[in-house]
Amino acid sequence: MFQIGDKVFYPMHGAGIIEAIEEKEILGNKQFYYVMNIRNMQVMFPLESNIPIRPIVDLDILEDVFTTFNDGELEPSLKPNQRYRSNMNKMKSGDIYQGAQVIRELMLMGKKRALAAGDKAMLDNAMQILISELVLVKGIAEEQALDLLNDAINN
């Protein structure tokens, strides 16, 4: 169970700080919810949830993730709908390494040819999600986090 002030990662949305724990009644069902702001959006999720919410990573893991951007080759091409499903499953997992893998693979694809609109949207979202965690881990502004991420990707 998380407490107010804890820095947590919420899959598909990003990282934020728990600002409150509130009881809400929805459709006649009372439950307690965590309340947090992620990327200028208020997010509420039940304390009892199957969503893989986790504490944000530490600096060592973040630095390790940065080294994965230049590892390996592009995996064999999947059909666009298969690639989308695979990337979406990676993003939903909440695992920082899988999110970084989505970014790495789409960046490599983008170097070979222009990304399709769906791939570009997936890349932008994956980068924003990683940036939200980078901001909290390093305690820096979003612009600085974007610069650090771009440096890690391009090295």
Side-chain angles (χ1 to χ4, degrees):
M1 187 163 154
F2 297 108
Q3 305 297 318
I4 294 172
D6 286 352
K7 297 175 182 177
V8 297
F9 182 85
Y10 185 87
M12 298 300 297
H13 293 285
I17 300 171
I18 295 176
E19 297 176 345
I21 299 173
E22 299 177 357
E23 185 176 27
K24 299 278 185 187
E25 183 175 338
I26 299 177
L27 300 174
N29 185 16
K30 283 188 178 183
Q31 267 189 319
F32 283 94
Y33 290 82
Y34 293 114
V35 179
M36 57 193 279
N37 278 310
I38 302 175
R39 297 172 23 204
N40 299 322
M41 173 179 54
Q42 186 178 60
V43 177
M44 294 176 53
F45 54 94
L47 268 65
E48 305 298 321
S49 173
N50 292 331
I51 299 168
I53 294 141
R54 61 170 171 77
I56 62 170
V57 297
D58 63 25
L59 197 53
D60 291 337
I61 290 175
L62 189 63
E63 294 297 329
D64 188 46
V65 166
F66 277 6
T67 66
T68 67
F69 287 120
N70 299 308
D71 288 352
E73 295 294 316
L74 184 61
E75 290 190 19
S77 290
L78 297 172
K79 293 178 182 171
N81 61 342
Q82 291 172 320
R83 183 175 53 251
Y84 177 82
R85 227 175 303 123
S86 172
N87 287 340
M88 188 59 75
N89 287 336
K90 290 174 186 175
M91 296 302 296
K92 284 181 180 177
S93 76
D95 181 276
I96 193 167
Y97 289 99
Q98 289 193 35
Q101 185 180 17
V102 169
I103 294 170
R104 182 182 69 82
E105 289 176 3
L106 291 174
M107 293 294 288
L108 287 171
M109 272 181 52
K111 288 180 180 177
K112 294 183 183 226
R113 61 177 163 73
L115 291 177
D119 290 330
K120 176 130 179 53
M122 178 71 72
L123 175 60
D124 291 344
N125 189 44
M127 287 182 68
Q128 285 302 311
I129 289 171
L130 183 55
I131 286 168
S132 73
E133 190 159 13
L134 180 54
V135 164
L136 290 180
V137 171
K138 288 205 172 237
I140 58 177
E142 199 169 311
E143 299 78 29
Q144 291 174 291
L146 177 59
D147 290 343
L148 281 173
L149 181 56
N150 283 329
D151 287 348
I153 290 169
N154 295 318
N155 283 335

